[in-house]
Amino acid sequence: MKDARSSSNAERALEILLILGDATAEGFSLAQISERLGCAKSVAHRSLSALQAKGFAEAAGRYGHYRLGPSIPALAKRQDRLEPQARKLRPGMTEFARHSGLTVYLILQAGLDAVCGEMISRSSRRHFSMGVGARIPMGVQAGSVALLSLQDDEAVTRVLDANAHRFPLFPACRKVDREVVAAQVADARLRGFAVNMGYYLPGEGGLGLPIPAQGAYEADVAVSFTAPIELMSEEWMVRTIDELRGFLAVGAG
């Protein structure tokens, strides 16, 4: 039988890791961590102590503050599942960024979140920038919508139901809820790529190209990019996605 207490402790520890992932080198205080978790400081401290014991968290330079520990990058270096795919896609992403002047992201799914695995930019223009390792709810931004478009209806429904309460909380310029995201996924299936038409930054949109896994050792990924809304006519979107496909094919060849 599943131990509910052990399960909640494990979930709390994972939540702490995600919280610390947003921290600077200065870290977060115990009070800040417990507030984000919605639990007592004593409860958060027990989980932090367990994480510290295994090197997943450590005391920061500022007294009473915590940050991610050395076990995190050590494990990351051992995880090479994404790297072969990134190595194939990176040259094409780089050439597309150079050719277009747009910022390009490699996006993958991590549970209910989308994670930025790579970011290539040749632009000094203000743009939505996740940064490598940043997480957003699945369904937010064109890259994660593109990933959802690869999944069957049941899987999409599970993600949208689980993230429905998160969509209205994410900073946006326009209303984003479960119905809006479901419509974007349906549109992406028809087009073959996902469209963000200015939902998250004024005057800024983006497209996401889904790239299905080619074998058991690969994951579904998406290559997305940001673009000014005024460029995003139907003709421009189709042409630019075709250019991206071309650059990725040449880079992987």
Side-chain angles (χ1 to χ4, degrees):
M1 182 180 294
K2 185 179 179 180
D3 187 328
R5 181 176 177 182
S6 296
S7 177
S8 63
N9 287 341
E11 289 174 2
R12 187 180 303 113
L14 290 173
E15 287 291 336
I16 288 175
L17 290 178
L18 294 178
I19 290 168
L20 293 182
D22 290 333
T24 64
E26 194 175 70
F28 284 136
S29 68
L30 180 59
Q32 289 173 311
I33 295 168
S34 62
E35 182 180 356
R36 289 191 178 206
L37 284 173
C39 69
K41 287 194 286 187
S42 59
V43 174
H45 187 263
R46 284 196 296 271
S47 294
L48 273 166
S49 296
L51 290 170
Q52 283 183 282
K54 299 296 184 181
F56 290 101
E58 66 180 9
R62 187 175 177 183
Y63 178 77
H65 284 57
Y66 301 85
R67 63 188 178 196
L68 291 176
S71 289
I72 298 293
L75 280 178
K77 288 178 181 177
R78 294 171 60 184
Q79 174 53 271
D80 60 358
R81 183 186 181 201
L82 181 64
E83 182 52 31
Q85 287 173 269
R87 195 161 51 241
K88 286 194 299 183
L89 296 169
R90 194 175 291 124
M93 291 172 60
T94 302
E95 282 304 300
F96 177 76
R98 184 193 62 77
H99 169 79
S100 65
L102 302 172
T103 299
V104 189
Y105 306 90
L106 180 62
I107 306 295
L108 64 151
Q109 183 172 357
L112 296 175
D113 288 349
V115 179
C116 179
E118 188 101 2
M119 184 183 80
I120 299 171
S121 179
R122 296 292 181 268
S123 173
S124 59
R125 181 176 53 82
R126 178 175 179 261
H127 53 73
F128 174 81
S129 176
M130 292 181 67
V132 175
R135 305 170 75 99
I136 56 176
M138 282 291 290
V140 168
Q141 292 290 343
S144 73
V145 172
L147 286 172
L148 284 173
S149 74
L150 293 172
Q151 301 180 18
D152 60 35
D153 290 343
E154 184 178 346
V156 171
T157 296
R158 283 198 302 270
V159 171
L160 297 188
D161 286 348
N163 279 346
H165 70 286
R166 303 174 71 191
F167 297 142
L169 302 177
F170 194 85
C173 304
R174 300 168 59 183
K175 179 183 178 182
V176 179
D177 57 19
R178 189 191 185 286
E179 288 67 36
V180 167
V181 177
Q184 290 177 332
V185 173
D187 180 65
R189 287 173 171 171
L190 290 174
R191 292 176 180 272
F193 59 91
V195 178
N196 159 32
M197 194 61 78
Y199 276 89
Y200 302 101
L201 275 180
E204 193 80 12
L207 304 179
L209 177 65
I211 301 175
Q214 297 300 307
Y217 297 101
E218 289 192 356
D220 291 341
V221 297
V223 175
S224 65
F225 54 89
T226 54
I229 286 291
E230 62 265 22
L231 291 179
M232 293 177 59
S233 65
E234 288 292 329
E235 180 185 358
W236 182 89
M237 290 191 291
V238 172
R239 183 178 70 251
T240 306
I241 282 289
D242 284 345
E243 289 174 353
L244 173 60
R245 286 193 181 104
F247 280 116
L248 293 177
V250 171

